[in-house]
Amino acid sequence: AQSVSQHNHHVILSEAASLELGCNYSYGGTVNLFWYVQYPGQHLQLLLKYFSGDPLVKGIKGFEAEFIKSKFSFNLRKPSVQWSDTAEYFCAVISYNTDKLIFGTGTRLQVFP
Amino acid sequence: DAGVTQSPTHLIKTRGQHVTLRCSPISGHKSVSWYQQVLGQGPQFIFQYYEKEERGRGNFPDRFSARQFPNYSSELNVNALLLGDSALYLCASSLDQAGREQYFGPGTRLTVT
């Protein structure tokens, strides 16, 4: 069955530190990849997406992610985090076969000033 | 433009009761999907509807059902509620049939006592 793994459950950083959140998926066919963010008290928002083309995709608020097909990975990065990045981050995958959006368990990021 | 809206915001029910949750998609979006998010986990896919037809179903019992109306709004129904049905129920809408870029509503928090 298709699955998504997020290795970091809880990450604590100081402002200006660099961020990398891991995401691996199990499906071997054609996929679309997403990162969603849920700020405290707010609903899920799309951070960035990969459909095809350049495997390095840029999203909102300075986030980027790199799709590495050979590693089945789609890691999220940000060079310098801010306190306002404190949120829960979800990686999600939708395959062309199933059309079901499958989410990882999420990573809770806390950024301290 | 209004985003995805859901009602009610919160709901408390007792075991064995029935519940109906409602969702209005973004204007122009014809696809609606439903997800269950239990605390500490990522959203789990329940249903997807496109043009009033069920296009996908997740691994949920038959107590869960849904429908989509001609105006593309949707209802999620859960019968014979169990304590384990307590969760945040999310609705998402998208433009295309495959639901490849989904926008989420704020959710309905269901508590079953």
Side-chain angles (χ1 to χ4, degrees), chain A residues 31-99:
Chain A
V31 295
N32 295 148
L33 300 154
F34 306 86
W35 276 95
Y36 282 87
V37 60
Q38 191 166 30
Y39 297 103
Q42 297 186 28
H43 59 276
L44 274 170
Q45 300 173 38
L46 182 63
L47 196 57
L48 48 78
K49 64 193 179 200
Y50 173 79
F51 283 4
S52 64
D54 189 345
L56 184 63
V57 292
K58 296 191 184 298
I60 59 172
K61 304 186 180 185
F63 285 91
E64 64 179 31
E66 185 175 12
F67 170 49
I68 303 179
K69 189 174 181 179
S70 61
K71 295 185 178 180
F72 300 92
S73 70
F74 190 56
N75 292 352
L76 180 70
R77 300 195 293 248
K78 186 171 184 179
S80 176
V81 294
Q82 300 173 314
W83 175 80
S84 58
D85 293 325
T86 294
E88 185 126 24
Y89 292 81
F90 294 94
C91 180
V93 175
I94 189 167
S95 76
Y96 275 56
N97 270 8
T98 67
D99 287 345

